[in-house]
Amino acid sequence: MASSELSIGVIFLSLTMIGLLGNFLLLHHYLFVYLSRYRLKSTDWVLMHLIVASILTILCKGVPHTMAAFGLKDFLDDIGCKLFFSFHRLGRGLCIGCTSFLSVFQAIIISPRDSWYSELKIKTHKYSCYVLYMNWAIYFLISSMNLVHMRAIYGNESTANLKSFLYCYAVRHDQTSDIFYAALLTAPDILLLGLMLWASGYMVLTLYRHKQRMQHMPKNNFSSRSSPESKATKTILLLVSTFVSFYTISSLCQLFVTIIYNPSCSLVRVTAMASLFFPTVCPFVLMSRDSRVSSFFLCLKMSKHFHKECNQ
């Protein structure tokens, strides 16, 4: 195995393992809160779905590319190729949907009491369930398109009419069809991305106005209740900016892979790496900004240490 192949395999393996570890730790936290009969906020429900989507993305993109980089090329059959690419598309779509809805719900939560959005505050928890299930249904239908286009290759079969993705292949079409297919897949993404940017702009404006009002008030009149909401809003804004940065890189690479008649192995690998950046970084951004998560793992560590001392 060439040193370059080994390096690529190590990179994919590192992204996969770090991403899965971070997402499963965060998922463990939210499941513990849910099973302990604590009421989850609407944003917590969205975060749980975002974590599941991130795990799905990493498993369906990181694992097969790691195996391919270490020398396993044709380890999937037709069904495996169709399922892996379909579920990756599903996870990727859910990531953008959940991030968009997360920003919208937080914008509603911090909206002033005299605004029109304040009437939706008491209904956000109910609406979050319907919106998340609709998000799953829409992207499940979109991802099912890969069931038609993706396939495996066997033995010395010709790949003249197939586009290589290293371990699976896509049925090659003319460039016009590829552009139409790419536009069809990205239309919901563009809509959700616009919604995300609008909600983020609204949150930034709301925080700015709140800060301006606080500067003209005595310090003893500051509302302590605004601090957690402000911190949660800044966390979501950081998450959104992280997503937009990585999503832009991933989308550009994905666009090139789609419209290029015969994409190179390097481009396919860079596209796969770009799609893993956000799911890998996302849980650590949330854990570093959420004091509840830090307190949970600290208590868990202390309880294990106490239990160990008791058994000695």
Side-chain angles (χ1 to χ4, degrees), residues 50-154:
L50 177 60
I51 294 166
V52 173
S54 298
I55 293 173
L56 195 62
T57 303
I58 294 172
L59 287 175
C60 294
K61 183 60 69 170
V63 173
H65 269 278
T66 301
M67 297 174 67
F70 281 115
L72 296 174
K73 298 297 183 182
D74 302 322
F75 53 91
L76 292 175
D77 57 8
D78 279 348
I79 296 178
C81 286
K82 294 176 187 296
L83 292 179
F84 265 82
F85 274 81
S86 295
F87 281 116
H88 169 255
R89 179 64 204 179
L90 174 62
R92 187 175 185 273
L94 292 175
C95 280
I96 184 174
C98 290
T99 308
S100 178
F101 299 142
L102 188 66
S103 59
V104 170
F105 289 142
Q106 187 64 27
I108 294 174
I109 290 172
I110 68 169
S111 60
R113 295 180 179 179
D114 56 350
S115 68
W116 179 81
Y117 303 106
S118 62
E119 300 178 2
L120 299 174
K121 288 185 180 182
I122 59 176
K123 300 179 181 180
T124 52
H125 187 77
K126 177 182 177 181
Y127 289 159
S128 64
C129 297
Y130 295 137
V131 168
L132 289 171
Y133 295 146
M134 182 182 67
N135 189 39
W136 276 87
I138 291 174
Y139 277 103
F140 183 81
L141 292 175
I142 293 175
S143 64
S144 63
M145 295 181 182
N146 286 309
L147 297 175
V148 179
H149 299 291
M150 302 308 301
R151 53 161 297 182
I153 191 169
Y154 303 98

